[in-house]
Amino acid sequence: MSLADTARKIKNMEIRGAGRIARTCATALKEYSESLKTSDLKTFQKEMESAADILLQTRPTAVSLPNAVNIVMKGVRSAESYEEALNSVRKSAYDFVESSNAAVRRIAEIGARHIRDGDVILTHCNSQAAIACIIEAHRQGKDFEVFATEVRPRKQGLLTIKALSDAGVKTNFIVDSAARFFMKQVTLVIVGSDAVTANGAVVNKIGTSQIALAAHEARTPFIVAAETYKFAPRTITGELIRIEERDSSEVLDKSVSLTLPNVTVRNPAFDVTPADYIDLIITEQGVIPPEMAYIIIKESLGWEISDFDV
Ligand code: RI2
């Protein structure tokens, strides 16, 4: 697939999910580097920076995307020869994809430990990491059921119920606004994440924070499955995660909205759940309370506040 095709598919969400987007971008950079018809280091670096920029512009919220791009581009930026730069892209892209897949498997193992017989789990959107925990617990023979939300406007819930049904997990499908109605019988909420900030807030699919509020009210544990490359280094300087607002036609058909000149359709794709409403974050390195997010950014991802111009 060409780089432009990859970027288009990420933008229009044919390729979606924070982890999948990150792996796709790493692979796209590798393929692009191999397609370049130059052996001049400066030209190679320039072309790779433009490719990285195109990918970075696709979706602004999932921090896994810039994290993956930076991992792959690091060796390009510091290389002293074309060969070194090309080899570095190949190796870092391969390593990133492998470690990302391994992280999801590890999160599944750890997350499954938090699921018990008799649980009623609620999940929102379509998170590979969250679903992996549920499917692993089912594979281990645990007996529980799941409530999966529809996820307006893009209906990612359909992907979730297909994955759960294919795995043989007993699943209830509900509209987003029924989450609080059912929360009384839910014993555990598990969601994924597009970004985790230094203060332990989780940015995830729109509606997640309402579910967290309902879980808090019902004293239902709320846990997040997030690979460490979902943690956002720049938030240690206080920088906020940009919330993507997508086209209004995803919510209301243009033919209808054109007849309603006084109506503005708003379509934010994500919201922010504060650390106060989150019990645990499951990473591939283990389970942390959200307040420990800064430690992950500093010690696992290796970012210090002095790395930024502040
Ligand atoms: P994994 C998705 O975003 C959802 O918000 C999901 O919870 C999150 O990415 C993490 O997904 P979108 O691409 O990386 O549907 O766990 O907007 O698969």
Side-chain angles (χ1 to χ4, degrees), residues 13 16-21 59 124-130 156 192-194 204-205 225 227 230 270:
M13 292 177 66
R16 54 148 297 282
R20 205 168 276 121
I21 289 171
R59 293 197 72 193
H124 182 57
C125 200
N126 178 254
S127 155
Q128 205 188 14
Q156 289 97 322
S193 173
D194 291 81
N204 193 47
K205 184 54 54 196
E227 305 90 302
K230 309 264 179 78
F270 302 98

Side-chain angles (χ1 to χ4, degrees), residues 244-258:
E244 174 183 14
E245 185 151 354
R246 295 185 60 84
D247 198 86
S248 64
S249 60
E250 290 186 343
V251 177
L252 196 63
D253 201 84
K254 280 265 187 295
S255 63
V256 180
S257 47
L258 284 172

Side-chain angles (χ1 to χ4, degrees), residues 69-83:
V69 166
N70 282 330
I71 286 169
V72 175
M73 290 298 292
K74 200 172 172 198
V76 174
R77 290 167 185 151
S78 63
E80 286 176 5
S81 69
Y82 159 75
E83 288 75 21

